[in-house]
Amino acid sequence: MKRIGFLLVAVWISLAFSCQKNAQQTTIILGHSLPTAHPVHNAIMYFADQAFANSDGKLQIKVYPNSQLGSEREVLELVQIGSVGMTKVSAGTMANFSPKYRVLGVPYLFRGEEHAWDVLEGEIGREILDSGQEYLLNGLVFYDAGSRSFYTKDVPIRTAEDVKGLKLRVMNDQMAIEMVNLLGGSATPMSFGELYTALQQGVVDGAENNAPSVVSSNHYEVCNYYTLDRHTMLPDVLVVGMTVWEKLDDKEKSWLMEAAKASLVEEKKLWRKAVESDMKFLREQGMEIIEPDADSFREATKPMKDRLRANPVLGDLLDRIENLNKS
């Protein structure tokens, strides 16, 4: 029934929005799953405003947040067929569509924030963004999504050993699933929108995400512990479907790219401010913030890197990322 509902939505969107280009204005539909309180949503609205300003009103981005058009995966499928023009998704979700994105889900891939942005805003990052074009998904820019850490209801996680036996929600991403299972937990993929109820009812014992997502989703209401193991720095991706991209003329493409780059600068500012504010808020709400033994997580997940090196494409990407700017 859920799949039938999704297909009906796809048909409705296609009928409503597939022909929105005329001599006066081009309108692009952008759907995403985040609530309007989230800093990335605010960055997307900034992107839409910049596109409108750059084009003197000739390019309009209509934003549908809060999973109005479907889950991350569902909206990506709509973007592929051209029923929706753009979306914002996690790089983990993109990995199900474009394999090179998988490397970004490797635990402890980056040496720190500076190394991460040297990769994401450099030649390697552009190679990964462009790799989606083959699958009709053109990546414009990466957005900061901070670092992902575990949060749990009843059992605090202080070392990698504490993950054993816990049912933890992850994205539908093979790297995230493998990571939790390797730690001895039971990885449970589900959509983010279903997670609050799953936590409340004990379907899962916890999840993993960044602080703004924990706050904007109200998951702190049902979880007591936030363990800052910082296992991945998995970025978000601003994506335009190739069906829509190829309909744009050179000026429109330029307006869109300029707006995307400007929105990244703004998004980084919004993200830093949100993380600082949200961590303070979580402490005020009584959530215990744990600084765990990170080395135990790094050691336990090392086999993931070892296995990836055997892949001729991803192994090369992994080596290039690890060696970038290495003194």
Side-chain angles (χ1 to χ4, degrees):
M1 287 298 292
K2 184 176 179 182
R3 186 65 182 173
I4 292 171
F6 167 62
L7 292 172
L8 290 173
V9 169
V11 171
W12 173 77
I13 293 170
S14 183
L15 290 172
F17 301 131
S18 59
C19 299
Q20 290 289 303
K21 186 174 172 67
N22 56 53
Q24 288 75 39
Q25 189 178 72
T26 296
T27 300
I28 300 175
I29 301 304
L30 190 159
H32 68 82
S33 62
L34 297 172
T36 55
H38 199 283
V40 175
H41 168 75
N42 294 327
I44 290 169
M45 296 306 296
Y46 183 88
F47 162 70
D49 290 342
Q50 287 294 303
F52 192 81
N54 291 347
S55 64
D56 292 325
K58 295 183 180 68
L59 184 59
Q60 182 180 26
I61 311 295
K62 279 191 171 182
V63 181
Y64 290 79
N66 219 15
S67 300
Q68 291 180 60
L69 305 184
S71 67
E72 278 201 335
R73 186 182 183 96
E74 288 168 345
V75 174
L76 266 179
E77 290 173 358
L78 292 174
V79 170
Q80 277 186 310
I81 64 175
S83 295
V84 173
M86 297 187 68
T87 189
K88 187 294 306 172
V89 296
S90 169
T93 304
M94 277 293 289
N96 294 307
F97 292 77
S98 183
K100 284 190 177 182
Y101 280 88
R102 282 187 61 206
V103 73
L104 299 176
V106 173
Y108 304 103
L109 174 66
F110 300 117
R111 298 188 295 275
E113 191 173 336
E114 183 178 351
H115 178 219
W117 284 109
D118 284 346
V119 171
L120 298 175
E121 294 187 282
E123 180 183 319
I124 298 172
R126 177 46 55 188
E127 179 182 332
I128 295 170
L129 289 169
D130 289 347
S131 71
Q133 293 178 7
E134 180 182 351
Y135 307 94
L136 304 180
L137 300 168
N138 184 27
L140 296 183
V141 293
F142 289 108
Y143 277 158
D144 193 352
S147 57
R148 298 177 74 94
S149 294
F150 292 113
Y151 55 99
T152 48
K153 280 183 69 177
D154 303 315
V155 179
I157 296 175
R158 303 187 190 280
T159 70
E161 188 74 17
D162 296 329
V163 176
K164 288 184 177 177
L166 295 180
K167 290 183 293 182
L168 298 172
R169 179 268 175 183
V170 294
M171 294 180 293
N172 188 17
D173 165 39
Q174 189 55 45
M175 299 298 282
I177 293 168
E178 183 179 352
M179 176 189 68
V180 169
N181 290 342
L182 195 60
L183 289 168
S186 177
T188 308
M190 68 173 62
S191 74
F192 193 63
E194 298 171 353
L195 180 53
Y196 187 98
T197 302
L199 287 164
Q200 198 173 39
Q201 295 179 351
V203 175
V204 293
D205 300 306
E208 50 90 45
N209 218 317
N210 50 60
S213 294
V214 176
V215 171
S216 63
S217 61
N218 298 320
H219 291 170
Y220 63 88
E221 294 177 351
V222 286
C223 288
N224 296 307
Y225 305 100
Y226 193 19
T227 300
L228 302 182
D229 63 298
R230 303 177 180 91
H231 44 260
T232 52
M233 296 177 67
L234 197 61
D236 282 338
V237 193
L238 189 62
V239 180
V240 59
M242 289 301 293
T243 303
V244 169
W245 182 252
E246 289 173 351
K247 289 180 181 178
L248 303 179
D249 61 34
D250 289 344
K251 276 189 177 180
E252 290 170 326
K253 289 177 181 177
S254 175
W255 292 333
L256 206 64
M257 277 304 306
E258 287 174 13
K261 290 175 181 177
S263 73
L264 170 57
V265 175
E266 180 68 11
E267 193 270 346
K268 286 182 179 179
K269 295 176 186 174
L270 291 168
W271 187 265
R272 284 194 292 269
K273 185 177 178 181
V275 169
E276 183 179 340
S277 172
D278 289 342
M279 288 303 298
K280 180 181 177 184
F281 177 80
L282 291 175
R283 288 185 174 93
E284 290 171 348
Q285 298 306 303
M287 202 172 197
E288 182 180 343
I289 309 300
I290 299 169
E291 290 283 355
D293 171 17
D295 287 342
S296 68
F297 291 91
R298 191 175 285 106
E299 186 62 30
T301 56
K302 187 175 176 293
M304 290 181 66
K305 283 186 178 180
D306 296 338
R307 279 196 291 273
L308 203 64
R309 291 189 203 282
N311 183 300
V313 175
L314 297 180
D316 175 66
L317 267 177
L318 177 59
D319 287 341
R320 287 161 58 199
I321 289 170
E322 289 186 325
N323 291 320
L324 185 70
N325 299 337
K326 198 169 187 179
S327 56

